[in-house]
């Protein structure tokens, strides 16, 4: 497990192959309503804050965690063998150690005391079905999830 503080900007945090030329995804209105913008090697999640410090936890697990945040989303995610995985905002990033392979990525976010937090759980060979696990009032669960972005 890794923990660090990162400065959020533009209400988003991204997970991606650090060698992508354009790692950050464009957002359509529907992406904003579902809380994420997805490509196979890059996914951006909408944060609860517009800007400021956020505590980040990254872990690997064999089972789906019991989500305990305000918002939780799961998506398929591919880490290419021999490539670095990065968790980043527009202004800064952090390379994290994770072996190549197919994962179920669970993003959770909430508040602890006055600090916003996010947790990324990578489940090897987990479900490849995207799903909103917990929706807050900024997430619309009535539309089909869009699983492509530029």
């Amino acid at each position: 497990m890794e923990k660090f503080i990162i400065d959020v900007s533009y209400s988003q945090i991204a997970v991606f192959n650090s060698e992508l030329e354009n790692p950050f995804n464009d957002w359509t209105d529907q992406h904003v309503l579902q809380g994420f913008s997805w490509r196979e090697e890059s996914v951006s999640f909408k944060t609860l804050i517009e800007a400021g410090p956020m505590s980040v936890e990254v872990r690997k697990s064999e089972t789906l965690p019991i989500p305990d945040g305000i918002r939780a989303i799961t998506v398929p995610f591919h880490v290419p063998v021999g490539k670095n995985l990065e968790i980043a905002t527009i202004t800064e990033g952090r390379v994290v150690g994770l072996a190549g392979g197919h994962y179920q990525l669970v993003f959770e976010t909430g508040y602890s005391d006055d600090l916003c937090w996010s947790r990324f759980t990578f489940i090897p060979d987990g479900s490849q079905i995207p799903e909103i696990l917990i929706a807050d009032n900024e997430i619309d669960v009535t539309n089909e999830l869009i699983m492509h972005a530029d």
Side-chain angles (χ1 to χ4, degrees), residues 5-150:
I5 301 287
I6 197 165
D7 263 337
V8 169
S9 53
Y10 300 101
S11 301
Q12 71 175 325
I13 189 166
V15 180
F16 52 84
N17 167 357
S18 65
E19 294 183 18
L20 286 178
E21 187 174 325
N22 296 303
F24 295 99
N25 298 334
D26 290 333
W27 291 73
T28 65
D29 289 344
Q30 182 56 38
H31 288 126
V32 172
L33 290 174
Q34 71 186 23
F36 69 95
S37 178
W38 185 90
R39 290 184 289 160
E40 185 179 56
E41 295 178 21
S42 174
V43 60
S44 297
F45 294 100
K46 186 173 189 268
T47 59
L48 298 174
I49 58 174
E50 167 75 27
M54 181 164 61
S55 173
V56 176
E57 180 180 309
V58 181
R59 62 185 180 179
K60 188 175 165 184
S61 176
E62 297 300 318
T63 59
L64 183 69
I66 297 170
D68 64 358
I70 294 172
R71 181 182 302 157
I73 299 168
T74 183
V75 295
F77 195 81
H78 176 71
V79 178
V81 174
K83 305 293 183 187
N84 288 321
L85 180 72
E86 188 169 342
I87 295 180
T89 63
I90 298 298
T91 56
E92 67 176 301
R94 177 87 170 252
V95 172
V96 296
L98 193 68
H102 292 278
Y103 293 89
Q104 175 181 5
L105 170 56
V106 180
F107 167 75
E108 301 169 79
T109 188
Y111 290 99
S112 178
D113 300 321
D114 289 337
L115 188 62
C116 186
W117 59 265
S118 64
R119 180 182 306 122
F120 296 92
T121 303
F122 291 86
I123 304 167
D125 300 315
S127 171
Q128 299 297 290
I129 299 170
E131 185 180 355
I132 307 297
L133 301 173
I134 299 175
D136 60 293
N137 62 1
E138 292 185 15
I139 303 297
D140 179 0
V141 295
T142 62
N143 292 320
E144 185 176 331
L145 298 177
I146 298 174
M147 296 303 292
H148 58 82
D150 294 322

